[in-house]
Amino acid sequence: MDGDVQAAVAPMFGVLDIVLLAGMAGFGIYWVYFRGSSKPQPPPSKGYTMQPTLITPKANESSYITKMKASGRNIVVFYGSQTGTAEEFAGRLAKEAARYGMKALVADPEECEMEELAKLSEINNSMAVFCMATYGEGDPTDNAQAFYEWLQSGDTELSGVNFAVFGLGNKTYEHFNSMGKYVDKRLEELGATRVVEAGVGDDDGNMEEDFLTWKDKFWPSVLDFFGMEMNLQEISMRQYRLVIPDVIPEKLFTGEIARLRAYQNQRPPFDAKNPFLAPVIAWRELHKGGERSCMHIELDISNSKLRYDAGDHVAVYPVNDPALVNRFGELLSVDLDTPISLVNIDEDSSKKHPFPCPCTYRTALSYYLDITSNPRTHVLKELAEHTTDPEDKEKLLKMTSSNPEGKELYQQWVLQDNRSLLHILEDLPSCKPPLDLVCELLTRLQSRYYSISSSSKVHPESVHITAVLLKYTTPTGRVNNGVATTWLSAKKPVSEQPSPQVPIFIRKSQFRLPVRPQTPIVMIGPGTGVAPFRGFVQERLKMKQEGKPVGDTVLFFGCRNRAEDFLYEEEFQESIDTGLLTLHTAFSREQDKKVYVTHLLKEHGEYIWRILGQENGHIYVCGDARNMARDVHDIIIEICSNYGQMSASEAQAFVKKLETQRRYSADVWS
């Protein structure tokens, strides 16, 4: 009771309550009369001041329209590039724009908000150019995937937008140049205006000549479209300037793809920009005789968190032959261990360096630059400027011209004679370009993709590669060695020594076994085309050993000679003995008349039709795209026509349906 009385007579507010209320009231008066006031703020004092951090929206960061307006540019050149060729063409077009009194910006569609394309009409005399490569079986390149999806689903009105397209492809593939053709067609459907007919480049022929032929039409069409006069200006075609950095060795790139010291401090996830250094745990020769070599290599991925499925690809980052790298230093009298940095002259470009910088000349030529491919004509034009012998200079300039004689000379002297830039420096002794210019002109050294020849169900902690060692003599008498396979041939593990390491990443594929193991499959893989099928057979054998029902598993394999190059013969025999595998072999050089897998397919046409036409089976082809895969495709159509009682057009439609359903899959290369 006493407690209740005390509570009733106690004051309503204590001293602390009054202080708090006064503080709150004071803050309220300040907010109303001062903080909320619209009075101008005094200028900042000259001392140190605290500035708020401004977070720019991502759209502004990738706004190429804003960049173009701010820098007075009227052309944007987008590229869809997997190996660097489309990006190189885009850069050449952008640089040439200045010769015609225009300014251009090179842009990666992956880094841009492509919805902004509709705003391009706000810039006077503007246009968008698309250099678009087709990848694989008619797919967009990785960096153009989002743009492709936007074109498919988008309905943005593009009236007032002017455009041109140059497509890059390879006629040995069925879906030749489909990406370039699609972009050209779709932009018109969305209301954009075509300035010049689309160009079509064929890498199986002469991509450089195709590009030059189109470019000869492109610039006159652009000038005519905008009502401008041809008034060529001489400009520097350099895109990068040389900087000699003053840095400690620890700050130099030594071969890493993107992140400095990434190889010393490996961190997942591992991908194309952050490859995993996989130890080589097994290396053996697969050929039992003859002069050729085929390597079986096993890479340890146990500590990488990398995962793969049978049919996926493993990409390898190779290193150039040190002897070739040293030759550059000898010919151009340069210390290759000099630290350098090449910095983009165009400050608005998102690409600040052509390769990871700073590094040394030796690192650039070893890890980042393709020093063995045939140089394109714009490279020869730059080399001519640094050639003192008049005849040599005239020869280089002639090959850069668009007349038939110049094109024929380039075709013969560079492409057919298979000269690299290094070979040209050797054959034209008066040609002495600065090495930093050479580093700018050379394209990036690309990763090499190999069909994984193992199953992750059987080998979850390793990836297997099957690769033929490439070596051949050119018409000039030089011996050329494959960059990646020559490098891999020296990666043999030695007991009691650290395992050699290979930078890799995994690329997913649509080349997949059927979901149901009882579905019958037919595999066609001559030579190293058998690689992914070794993984398929491993996986199906494991299923069979686990008691699961497994459908017909049929392999057509061909090589030159059973005794020399029958790859994985013992392994396949084990699968035959267990009743899993049916193997049909063609040894082309064991009889007077050559026999290939294509002959075997015709012999077993009725069986193949039963698998495809009656049992909903799958067919897989792996190997050479130029001849074998094309011949197989024609034979399958012929089989469907003969045994399925179809007309030629009906058989073609049936095979097309198989491809759409991914029951006919090809993993091919040219």
Side-chain angles (χ1 to χ4, degrees):
M1 184 70 179
D2 289 345
D4 292 338
V5 172
Q6 285 178 348
V9 300
M12 185 174 295
F13 297 103
V15 175
L16 181 60
D17 296 323
I18 294 170
V19 171
L20 288 172
L21 285 170
M24 292 170 65
F27 180 79
I29 294 168
Y30 163 77
W31 183 266
V32 172
Y33 288 99
F34 297 98
R35 181 72 176 175
S37 164
S38 60
K39 278 196 324 183
Q41 297 298 312
S45 63
K46 287 188 176 179
Y48 289 101
T49 57
M50 295 294 290
Q51 296 289 346
T53 302
L54 299 176
I55 301 176
T56 309
K58 187 177 186 298
N60 289 342
E61 289 177 6
S62 57
S63 174
Y64 55 92
I65 298 295
T66 301
K67 285 181 180 179
M68 291 175 71
K69 288 179 178 179
S71 55
R73 302 174 200 239
N74 63 324
I75 296 178
V76 56
V77 190
F78 296 103
Y79 61 87
S81 189
Q82 198 74 23
T83 64
T85 305
E87 182 181 358
E88 177 199 321
F89 285 173
R92 287 165 67 177
L93 287 172
K95 282 191 278 190
E96 283 188 11
R99 296 187 65 210
Y100 298 91
M102 293 173 273
K103 290 184 71 176
L105 178 74
V106 178
D108 181 345
E110 190 174 36
E111 298 176 358
C112 297
E113 299 290 345
M114 294 308 291
E115 293 85 353
E116 280 199 320
L117 198 57
K119 297 180 183 178
L120 190 62
S121 58
E122 298 172 6
I123 300 173
N124 191 39
N125 286 355
S126 63
M127 71 177 297
V129 185
F130 297 84
C131 294
M132 308 303 294
T134 298
Y135 175 66
E137 297 302 305
D139 301 319
T141 58
D142 292 345
N143 77 309
Q145 181 67 44
F147 171 50
Y148 176 67
E149 292 170 0
W150 175 75
L151 283 176
Q152 284 184 308
S153 60
D155 54 0
T156 305
E157 174 58 48
L158 297 181
S159 59
V161 175
N162 308 308
F163 76 94
V165 174
F166 182 79
L168 298 84
N170 189 309
K171 275 187 176 169
T172 58
Y173 293 89
E174 181 187 355
H175 305 280
F176 172 59
N177 240 308
S178 61
M179 185 60 181
K181 293 172 183 175
Y182 176 75
V183 171
D184 183 68
K185 171 175 165 285
R186 185 63 178 140
L187 289 174
E188 185 180 46
E189 289 174 352
L190 294 174
T193 302
R194 185 183 293 104
V195 173
V196 61
E197 185 181 350
V200 178
D202 178 20
D203 200 34
D204 190 47
N206 186 339
M207 180 76 78
E208 176 71 5
E209 184 174 331
D210 295 336
F211 178 64
L212 292 178
T213 302
W214 176 78
K215 192 159 64 71
D216 287 345
K217 300 175 188 173
F218 172 76
W219 287 117
S221 298
V222 170
L223 295 172
D224 183 60
F225 185 84
F226 292 125
M228 300 169 65
E229 292 185 6
M230 179 77 74
N231 184 20
L232 291 180
Q233 303 171 24
E234 284 301 319
I235 59 161
S236 169
M237 296 298 281
R238 289 297 301 260
Q239 186 178 347
Y240 299 94
R241 59 185 174 86
L242 174 65
V243 174
I244 304 298
D246 183 16
V247 294
I248 58 175
E250 288 74 18
K251 295 294 183 181
L252 292 173
F253 281 89
T254 56
E256 307 93 325
I257 302 304
R259 181 172 58 87
L260 186 66
R261 302 188 71 75
Y263 290 164
Q264 287 83 5
N265 182 21
Q266 290 258 281
R267 295 202 303 260
F270 297 108
D271 53 26
K273 292 184 178 179
N274 182 35
F276 173 66
L277 284 179
V280 178
I281 52 177
W283 191 111
R284 72 175 187 270
E285 175 61 53
L286 292 176
H287 284 177
K288 303 179 184 71
E291 296 179 355
R292 298 181 306 143
S293 168
C294 185
M295 302 170 283
H296 172 85
I297 302 168
E298 299 181 15
L299 305 171
D300 182 3
I301 59 169
S302 58
N303 296 319
S304 67
K305 297 185 179 177
L306 287 172
R307 299 290 180 266
Y308 73 96
D309 293 303
D312 283 344
H313 302 110
V314 58
V316 171
Y317 280 106
V319 180
N320 283 313
D321 183 347
L324 298 181
V325 172
N326 288 334
R327 192 80 177 108
F328 277 99
E330 294 167 5
L331 289 170
L332 300 178
S333 303
V334 174
D335 179 1
L336 296 181
D337 295 313
T338 304
I340 62 161
S341 186
L342 292 183
V343 181
N344 203 321
I345 295 168
D346 182 359
E347 295 180 355
D348 291 316
S349 174
S350 59
K351 188 174 183 179
K352 302 304 179 188
H353 311 282
F355 45 78
C357 289
C359 65
T360 63
Y361 279 122
R362 187 181 305 280
T363 295
L365 292 167
S366 299
Y367 295 91
Y368 301 138
L369 298 171
D370 184 352
I371 64 175
T372 61
S373 62
N374 308 132
R376 303 194 187 278
T377 56
H378 73 289
V379 174
L380 305 185
K381 189 171 185 179
E382 291 291 323
L383 294 180
E385 297 301 312
H386 302 276
T387 304
T388 54
D389 184 281
E391 288 187 11
D392 291 349
K393 184 170 186 174
E394 183 184 354
K395 185 173 192 172
L396 289 170
L397 290 175
K398 185 176 182 180
M399 287 187 284
T400 69
S401 66
S402 57
N403 62 55
E405 294 82 8
K407 289 180 178 179
E408 186 177 340
L409 181 60
Y410 174 78
Q411 175 75 25
Q412 176 62 52
W413 199 76
V414 175
L415 300 183
Q416 291 182 19
D417 287 352
N418 208 338
R419 280 183 171 86
S420 66
L421 194 149
L422 184 60
H423 298 155
I424 292 172
L425 295 179
E426 288 178 334
D427 292 346
L428 304 179
S430 75
C431 183
K432 299 291 183 185
L435 188 50
D436 63 285
L437 173 61
V438 170
C439 290
E440 177 176 329
L441 294 173
L442 291 167
T443 55
R444 279 295 293 269
L445 181 61
Q446 300 293 324
S447 57
R448 271 46 174 184
Y449 292 95
Y450 297 94
S451 300
I452 296 175
S453 54
S454 55
S455 165
S456 58
K457 302 289 190 297
V458 180
H459 300 281
E461 296 191 338
S462 65
V463 162
H464 299 186
I465 292 175
T466 307
V468 168
L469 180 63
L470 183 62
K471 184 176 183 179
Y472 59 95
T473 302
T474 72
T476 64
R478 294 178 169 97
V479 176
N480 279 3
N481 297 302
V483 176
T485 54
T486 301
W487 181 66
L488 287 170
S489 68
K491 292 289 181 181
K492 301 174 184 176
V494 179
S495 59
E496 299 181 5
Q497 290 186 17
S499 296
Q501 294 180 316
V502 176
I504 67 165
F505 63 93
I506 303 295
R507 183 177 69 189
K508 291 297 177 183
S509 166
Q510 297 295 333
F511 205 69
R512 286 279 181 271
L513 278 169
V515 175
R516 298 171 67 251
Q518 54 264 54
T519 301
I521 64 171
V522 174
M523 303 168 286
I524 304 159
T528 54
V530 80
F533 303 137
R534 177 178 181 256
F536 282 11
V537 171
Q538 283 181 358
E539 194 149 315
R540 287 204 148 197
L541 180 59
K542 186 173 191 296
M543 291 177 181
K544 185 176 179 66
Q545 290 169 341
E546 291 171 349
K548 295 175 182 175
V550 179
D552 286 4
T553 304
V554 183
L555 172 63
F556 289 84
F557 171 76
C559 61
R560 294 183 182 182
N561 188 294
R562 176 190 288 270
E564 291 182 3
D565 54 356
F566 190 166
L567 306 182
Y568 303 113
E569 179 181 7
E570 295 80 8
E571 290 185 32
F572 289 136
Q573 188 59 52
E574 286 180 24
S575 297
I576 293 169
D577 293 343
T578 62
L580 170 78
L581 181 66
T582 301
L583 179 64
H584 301 286
T585 54
F587 305 109
S588 62
R589 301 193 180 184
E590 287 194 354
Q591 57 282 312
D592 294 336
K593 187 178 180 182
K594 291 185 178 180
V595 177
Y596 298 108
V597 290
T598 46
H599 297 120
L600 300 181
L601 291 177
K602 291 180 179 179
E603 291 176 14
H604 295 85
E606 187 174 1
Y607 174 77
I608 290 172
W609 165 249
R610 177 161 62 82
I611 293 288
L612 295 178
Q614 299 172 12
E615 299 180 8
N616 292 319
H618 290 222
I619 187 166
Y620 301 89
V621 184
C622 182
D624 164 46
R626 183 176 285 109
N627 299 308
M628 184 276 297
R630 186 181 289 174
D631 291 345
V632 167
H633 191 267
D634 293 341
I635 290 168
I636 297 301
I637 291 175
E638 185 182 318
I639 287 172
C640 293
S641 177
N642 292 342
Y643 297 97
Q645 281 78 51
M646 303 180 191
S647 66
S649 59
E650 288 172 336
Q652 286 180 341
F654 178 77
V655 172
K656 175 65 71 175
K657 185 179 178 182
L658 292 180
E659 292 172 335
T660 304
Q661 296 172 339
R662 299 206 179 278
R663 288 177 52 209
Y664 186 140
S665 301
D667 181 5
V668 295
W669 57 85
S670 61

